[in-house]
């Protein structure tokens, strides 16, 4: 792949993030193939195209190539947008694809890069973090729910595809930058999700409620603060960066106030959540470092109860 060649991009997973990302790529003129698991979703996307509903209610239709058999497709880069609980399966699918495509993890949570690198080799892996809000409205429709920032970079630091991708997303009007320290960026984004996602999922509220309700704000802030201590203990974030995590989480609540977080969408649909790679990962690492994380532990317990259908009435409205 030299600088002049166009990149053939596959987007693995057509949930909210996958559809939003694919729409951005198509709008910047890229050839994109959505790689989906369900035949039913593939048929719906082929029939209707990919529909993006903008925040002003305007509907934009994007023609996309769709495949329900990812391992048959030859692409240069696979953008992995599946839930972190499915990262290992995604890595196995990419390993079976022809050629040796690079992968970019555009997922929530900690540990996705490590899982992909273990199976595919670290030099093939890029990481991305996005704070663009999106809600899937059907198999083929996604609603944009507030803009944020996209950061991309190599798992090992610099990667030749990172600048190309930044240029592509920038052409689509996204606010994007390249980083050579994606571990730090992944942690910064994880701090946002660690505060917003379980709190909105337990209380069934949109992100903006964390700013409006002092009780929710207190829990979200405490969860981020604890996670920041862990990131500092690991040497990934400085004290200032860990402290800035709280402000950043509140800023994202403001920018995506109307959005229902991905974890809230998961519990509403009775799906497993990403709690294990967010607050759960924090608790596991905190135990190794002997750092106390009571708020995160409690959030993990509550989400696990909801997943198991055992939550009490106050949280299962
Ligand atoms: O997981 C999510 O929902 C998103 O990452 C974010 C940025 C919190 C917006 O809802």
């Amino acid at each position: 792949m030299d600088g002049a060649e166009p990149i053939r991009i596959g987007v693995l997973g057509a949930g909210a993030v996958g559809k939003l990302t694919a729409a951005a790529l198509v709008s910047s003129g890229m050839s994109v193939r959505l790689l989906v698991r369900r035949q039913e979703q593939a048929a719906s996307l082929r029939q209707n195209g990919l529909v993006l509903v903008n925040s002003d209610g305007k509907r934009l239709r994007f023609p996309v190539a769709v495949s329900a058999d990812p391992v048959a497709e030859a692409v240069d880069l696979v953008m992995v947008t599946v839930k972190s609980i499915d990262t290992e399966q995604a890595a196995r699918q990419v390993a079976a694809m022809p050629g040796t495509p690079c992968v970019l993890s555009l997922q929530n949570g900690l540990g996705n890069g490590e899982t992909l690198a273990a199976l595919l080799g670290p030099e093939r892996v890029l990481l991305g973090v996005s704070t663009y809000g999106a809600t899937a409205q059907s198999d083929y429709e996604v609603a944009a729910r507030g803009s944020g920032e996209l950061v991309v970079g190599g798992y090992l630091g610099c990667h030749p595809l990172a600048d190309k991708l930044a240029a592509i997303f920038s052409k689509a009007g996204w606010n994007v930058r390249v980083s050579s320290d994606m571990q730090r960026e992944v942690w910064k984004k994880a701090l946002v999700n660690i505060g917003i996602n379980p709190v909105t999922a337990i209380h069934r509220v949109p992100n903006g409620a964390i700013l409006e309700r002092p009780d929710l704000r207190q829990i979200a802030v405490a969860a981020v603060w604890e996670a920041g201590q862990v990131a500092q203990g690991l040497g990934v974030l400085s004290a200032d960066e860990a402290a800035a995590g709280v402000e950043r989480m509140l800023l994202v609540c403001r920018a995506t106030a109307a959005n229902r977080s991905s974890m809230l969408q998961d519990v509403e649909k009775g799906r497993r959540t990403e709690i294990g790679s967010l607050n759960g990962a924090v608790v596991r690492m905190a135990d190794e470092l002997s750092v106390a994380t009571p708020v995160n532990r409690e959030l993990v317990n509550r989400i696990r109860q909801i997943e198991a259908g055992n939550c009490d009435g106050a949280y299962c409205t």
Side-chain angles (χ1 to χ4, degrees), residues 100-180:
T100 47
C102 290
V103 279
L104 179 134
S105 158
L106 193 55
Q107 301 167 278
N108 280 340
L110 301 164
N112 295 304
E114 286 70 13
T115 303
L116 293 166
L119 214 90
L120 302 170
E123 65 294 333
R124 283 171 69 186
V125 180
L126 292 99
L127 299 172
V129 289
S130 157
T131 47
Y132 279 82
T135 303
Q137 296 194 320
S138 71
D139 272 351
Y140 67 95
E141 293 161 305
V142 61
R145 293 277 191 239
S147 47
E149 185 189 41
L150 171 68
V151 188
V152 291
Y155 177 72
L156 293 175
C158 299
H159 194 290
L161 278 181
D163 289 311
K164 265 191 172 184
L165 281 170
I168 291 165
F169 280 97
S170 168
K171 197 170 162 203
W174 282 37
N175 179 21
V176 55
R177 72 184 159 84
V178 173
S179 166
S180 57

Side-chain angles (χ1 to χ4, degrees), residues 131 133 145-148 207 211 249-259:
T131 47
R145 293 277 191 239
S147 47
N207 298 352
L211 301 172
M249 181 269 295
L250 296 172
L251 273 174
V252 174
C253 287
R254 203 159 297 134
T256 64
N259 196 43

Side-chain angles (χ1 to χ4, degrees), residues 187-188 191 226-238 242 282 289:
W187 261 96
K188 284 189 190 167
L191 292 188
E226 286 179 3
Q229 298 301 299
V230 174
Q232 239 183 287
L234 293 169
V236 184
L237 296 184
S238 67
V282 165
L289 295 168

Side-chain angles (χ1 to χ4, degrees), residues 133 310 313:
N310 296 333

Side-chain angles (χ1 to χ4, degrees), residues 108 130-134 189 192-193 196-197 207 252 256 259-263 265 274:
N108 280 340
S130 157
T131 47
Y132 279 82
K189 169 71 197 303
V192 170
N193 293 116
I196 296 178
N197 293 25
N207 298 352
V252 174
T256 64
N259 196 43
R260 299 176 82 72
S261 76
S262 53
M263 197 174 288
Q265 294 178 50
E274 298 183 299

